[in-house]
Amino acid sequence: AHFNSAFQSEFRLVNIALTSQLAAIPLPSPGSGFTYKFDDATGTFVRSARSFGPILAERGETIGRGRLAVNFAYQFFSFDHLDGVPLVAIPAVFRHDNPQLGGGRADVVSTMNSIVASVSQFSGAVTFGVTDRLDVSLAMPVVRTSLSLLSNATIQRVGTGTNRTVHYFADPTAIGGYGTSQQYFAEESATGLGDLVVRAKATLLREGTRALAAGVDLRLPTGDEQNLLGAGAAGVRPFAAFSASVGPFAPHANIGYQWNGTSVLAGDVYADIKGELPDQFMYALGSDFSVNQHFSLVFDLLGQRVIDSPRLQVSTFTASGAGGSVTLPDIQFTQTSYW
């Protein structure tokens, strides 16, 4: 009751980091597939895209007036680092309140924490061609999140020294029942509807095999944010997509900016106070390659810049008192923008 740490008091920042990644997981393109356009010279439809198109990026072509496209996809993500810090080894030092008073208040609890986090996402998308240059889409993800925490805690008696009766873990195997270390474990998982995404995409320029499109994604906060199934905030992402065709290659490039609203995950979950989720600038560069008319290969480089967001850093903490001194690994949070 008298100890706290950045890991405990600032865990909302870990929520923000996890939620930002969840919100940034790319949905499979709802418009992938071959597209066709009408050739006035021959009076027939000819293929306007030589490959199936990108999977996690967008291209400039639309699917065509009155056409309907339906797709399904499954993605699995296992997170192993948070801001470069291995999730299997996150240190945290729990300090006593008012440590400047000395004595027993100089004691600290050092912990080493291991977090296992994964997200499975099954999504279905429906795209309809309103005109030859305008598509509307609806993406419906079903998300399963799994989170577990193993914490090994040790009391560092730098203030109380050999006196084990002031701060201790109840341990019947220890002398007098006054234990020095303890292990804690908790895990939970949840499955449900994620955040729905509504998209409109319009081709602005189409010249030969080149196409430039602009669009906007509207993310609806339909996922249960307290179970990390959604971001807990509405979001708007305008984007531009360029694509071309050069022989069997079909290069493409995307840029976009994700505006996020307020979410309880960025504030205080227990007090139900909302805070601002960080915005993100996103890009994608890549190309798909048509091996033959039935098979395509796709390569994409996806990137994002997170704007004004908390970041986790490993630091050191030195505690000293009548019982000696000890230097321990700890964590701290900074506020910055990063790629």
Side-chain angles (χ1 to χ4, degrees):
H2 299 285
F3 292 83
N4 59 63
S5 76
F7 188 82
Q8 181 182 31
S9 62
E10 301 296 337
F11 196 82
R12 68 177 186 87
L13 304 182
V14 180
N15 285 340
I16 292 175
L18 290 173
T19 306
S20 294
Q21 293 304 308
L22 186 65
I25 290 176
L27 285 172
S29 173
S32 288
F34 289 120
T35 60
Y36 296 82
K37 65 179 180 179
F38 187 75
D39 186 349
D40 293 329
T42 61
T44 60
F45 285 95
V46 296
R47 185 180 295 177
S48 56
R50 297 177 181 271
S51 65
F52 284 109
I55 299 174
L56 297 178
E58 280 296 318
R59 58 184 179 184
E61 295 91 351
T62 52
I63 64 174
R65 181 196 300 269
R67 297 192 176 188
L68 187 70
V70 180
N71 67 42
F72 302 93
Y74 174 78
Q75 301 183 87
F76 174 78
F77 300 86
S78 180
F79 300 99
D80 55 10
H81 284 74
L82 178 59
D83 292 333
V85 180
L87 287 179
V88 296
I90 297 182
V93 177
F94 287 71
R95 303 163 178 79
H96 201 290
D97 58 358
N98 300 320
Q100 68 275 7
L101 297 180
R105 295 180 183 275
D107 285 357
V108 298
V109 179
S110 62
T111 66
M112 185 59 67
N113 307 280
S114 177
I115 297 175
V116 177
S118 65
V119 175
S120 298
Q121 182 192 76
F122 177 84
S123 59
V126 178
T127 301
F128 178 72
V130 179
T131 70
D132 286 336
R133 290 177 175 263
L134 176 64
D135 289 345
V136 292
S137 305
L138 174 65
M140 298 157 287
V142 175
V143 180
R144 176 177 175 82
T145 58
S146 179
L147 191 67
S148 67
L149 170 66
L150 177 68
S151 182
N152 290 294
T154 302
I155 298 173
Q156 308 289 340
R157 297 187 177 92
V158 296
T160 54
T162 58
N163 186 351
R164 303 167 64 94
T165 64
V166 178
H167 297 126
Y168 62 89
F169 295 113
D171 183 359
T173 66
I175 298 175
Y178 301 115
T180 299
S181 61
Q182 184 67 274
Q183 186 178 84
Y184 299 90
F185 178 75
E187 66 175 342
E188 287 292 343
S189 61
T191 303
L193 180 68
D195 291 344
L196 296 176
V197 178
V198 180
R199 166 177 294 176
K201 185 182 78 171
T203 299
L204 304 179
L205 177 65
R206 189 163 54 199
E207 186 176 296
T209 61
R210 297 178 301 230
L212 175 65
V216 61
D217 287 347
L218 173 63
R219 188 186 70 241
L220 306 176
T222 51
D224 180 1
E225 67 275 15
Q226 295 200 23
N227 278 317
L228 294 177
L229 300 179
V236 178
R237 185 179 75 98
F239 65 90
F242 172 81
S243 60
S245 180
V246 183
F249 291 95
H252 50 263
N254 296 176
I255 58 170
Y257 191 91
Q258 175 75 51
W259 275 287
N260 293 308
T262 59
S263 170
V264 70
L265 295 179
D268 189 325
V269 175
Y270 290 108
D272 197 29
I273 298 174
K274 293 186 176 183
E276 290 282 346
L277 278 179
D279 296 339
Q280 300 172 14
F281 169 79
M282 302 175 177
Y283 71 87
L285 296 170
S287 179
D288 40 302
F289 174 71
S290 178
V291 179
N292 56 50
Q293 62 178 348
H294 301 293
F295 184 60
S296 295
L297 295 175
V298 183
F299 173 81
D300 269 313
L301 173 65
L302 307 176
Q304 58 179 316
R305 182 168 179 80
V306 184
I307 310 298
D308 195 24
S309 175
R311 298 205 75 184
L312 179 69
Q313 292 181 340
V314 174
S315 61
T316 58
F317 173 78
T318 300
S320 59
S325 65
V326 61
T327 298
L328 303 164
D330 197 7
I331 56 171
Q332 64 183 14
F333 292 91
T334 60
Q335 195 85 7
T336 184
S337 299
Y338 61 95
W339 288 99

